């Protein structure tokens, strides 16, 4: 089979997954529990020229303070964004440096909020793998779950969570819909980031265990985005975004 044919088949599979995820949206539990009638979710733009001042991410403590101050200023329970977002801030770590082109395009959705925020399984499934991906800019504690809808398997990744979470899970363990599987980790355990959840959907995880790239080279974006559909198909949070003040 030619490379072109393989790519076409793969694209059809991912399109099928996106359609399947949308069709079953009414069944999902909130990944991050909140009351949209009382709390607000505000967008955050971490592209160059967006909300993040130049080079502020280079210092973890300053970065954490900025993100928390921004969340409070916007009167939001959480800040959210990042899918298919080109981010200069990854220059803070050599993890994203490659010989020909650095990795800068984000493949998941980030939800920024208080340390310790519970993270729920949106659907039942099984723990595929856990890992501790150490180093500046990495995931830190990481969980990968395996799910199945209408006989189609796929994966969700939860990055930057607490070390205590991965100490309580084992590969092959069954997970129930709505079960708390993780909590937002602190900078000492989450790759030196402000507390947040990196949530990513993955069609084909290949041989990865306890890890999967959450950032790709811009020139490779088409293939990576095909394999990682929009997380809002599960989160369903973008429709609730508000700007400025919380709902009364």
């Amino acid at each position: 089979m030619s490379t072109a044919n393989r790519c076409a088949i793969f694209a059809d599979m991912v399109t099928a997954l996106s359609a399947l995820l949308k069709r079953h949206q009414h069944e999902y539990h909130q990944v991050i529990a909140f009351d949209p009638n009382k709390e607000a979710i505000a967008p955050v733009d971490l592209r160059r020229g967006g909300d993040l001042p130049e080079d502020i991410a280079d210092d973890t403590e300053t970065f954490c303070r900025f993100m928390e101050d921004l969340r409070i200023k916007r009167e939001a329970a959480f800040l959210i964004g990042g899918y298919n977002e080109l981010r200069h801030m990854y220059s803070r770590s050599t993890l994203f440096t490659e010989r020909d082109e650095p990795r800068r395009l984000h493949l998941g959705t980030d939800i920024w909020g208080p340390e310790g925020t519970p993270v729920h399984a949106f659907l039942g499934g099984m723990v595929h793998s856990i890992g501790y991906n150490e180093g500046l800019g990495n995931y830190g504690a990481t969980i990968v779950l395996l799910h199945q809808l209408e006989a189609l398997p796929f994966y969700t990744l939860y990055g930057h969570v607490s070390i205590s979470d991965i100490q309580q899970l084992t590969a092959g363990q069954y997970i129930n819909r709505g079960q708390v599987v993780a909590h937002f980790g602190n900078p000492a355990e989450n790759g030196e980031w402000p507390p947040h959840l990196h949530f990513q959907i993955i069609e084909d995880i290949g041989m990865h265990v306890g890890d999967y790239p959450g950032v790709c080279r811009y020139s490779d974006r088409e293939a990576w985005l095909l394999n990682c559909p929009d997380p809002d198909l599960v989160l369903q949070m973008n429709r609730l975004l508000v700007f400025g003040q919380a709902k009364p």
Side-chain angles (χ1 to χ4, degrees):
M1 182 182 296
S2 70
T3 300
N5 286 340
R6 284 197 299 269
C7 290
I9 291 172
F10 181 68
D12 287 343
M13 290 173 60
V14 175
T15 301
L17 175 58
S18 296
L20 191 62
L21 289 169
K22 188 171 184 178
R23 189 158 64 246
H24 285 265
Q25 283 179 335
H26 63 284
E27 302 174 13
Y28 305 155
H29 192 282
Q30 288 179 314
V31 174
I32 304 299
F34 73 100
D35 185 348
N37 294 312
K38 297 179 180 179
E39 301 173 296
I41 302 172
V44 60
D45 182 353
L46 299 184
R47 296 173 296 178
R48 176 171 258 167
D51 293 319
L52 197 66
E54 192 80 11
D55 300 328
I56 200 169
D58 291 347
D59 181 79
T60 301
E61 184 176 346
T62 303
F63 189 12
C64 289
R65 187 165 56 249
F66 173 83
M67 293 300 289
E68 180 62 9
D69 288 347
L70 183 63
R71 185 176 68 84
I72 293 171
K73 180 181 179 181
R74 294 187 172 170
E75 301 182 30
F78 301 99
L79 301 174
I80 185 171
Y83 180 64
N84 193 20
E85 189 171 77
L86 192 63
R87 295 172 164 180
H88 175 69
M89 70 179 185
Y90 293 122
S91 61
R92 73 192 295 256
S93 172
T94 58
L95 176 70
F96 306 100
T97 302
E98 296 189 359
R99 182 178 301 174
D100 300 323
E101 178 189 349
R103 294 187 294 128
R104 294 288 185 266
L105 190 81
H106 194 244
L107 299 169
T109 290
D110 287 334
I111 306 169
W112 309 81
E115 175 188 337
T117 297
V119 178
H120 301 258
F122 80 99
L123 195 67
M126 185 177 74
V127 178
H128 169 268
S129 53
I130 55 175
Y132 185 71
N133 300 289
E134 59 184 337
L136 174 65
N138 215 330
Y139 285 133
T142 313
I143 299 168
V144 180
L145 301 183
L146 168 63
H147 311 277
Q148 187 168 289
L149 279 174
E150 298 181 20
L152 182 64
F154 63 97
Y155 306 84
T156 51
L157 182 146
Y158 307 76
H160 312 297
V161 299
S162 169
I163 289 178
S164 62
D165 296 319
I166 63 174
Q167 292 173 338
Q168 299 177 44
L169 296 173
T170 57
Q173 178 179 340
Y174 285 98
I175 299 295
N176 296 318
R177 175 187 176 277
Q179 180 177 335
V180 174
V181 293
H183 302 78
F184 290 15
N186 62 53
E189 60 190 351
N190 78 355
E192 298 185 42
W193 293 95
H196 74 289
L197 173 72
H198 171 97
F199 178 78
Q200 187 170 339
I201 303 171
I202 304 163
E203 164 78 19
D204 180 4
I205 203 167
M207 300 300 291
H208 291 277
V209 176
D211 191 16
Y212 190 81
V215 181
C216 74
R217 302 193 308 176
Y218 185 76
S219 61
D220 297 330
R221 64 192 182 281
E222 184 175 351
W224 284 97
L225 291 172
L226 274 176
N227 196 42
C228 300
D230 187 347
D232 200 58
L233 288 166
V234 166
L235 296 172
Q236 303 176 74
M237 297 174 82
N238 286 346
R239 61 186 172 84
L240 301 172
L241 288 176
V242 296
F243 295 80
Q245 295 185 349
K247 296 181 180 181

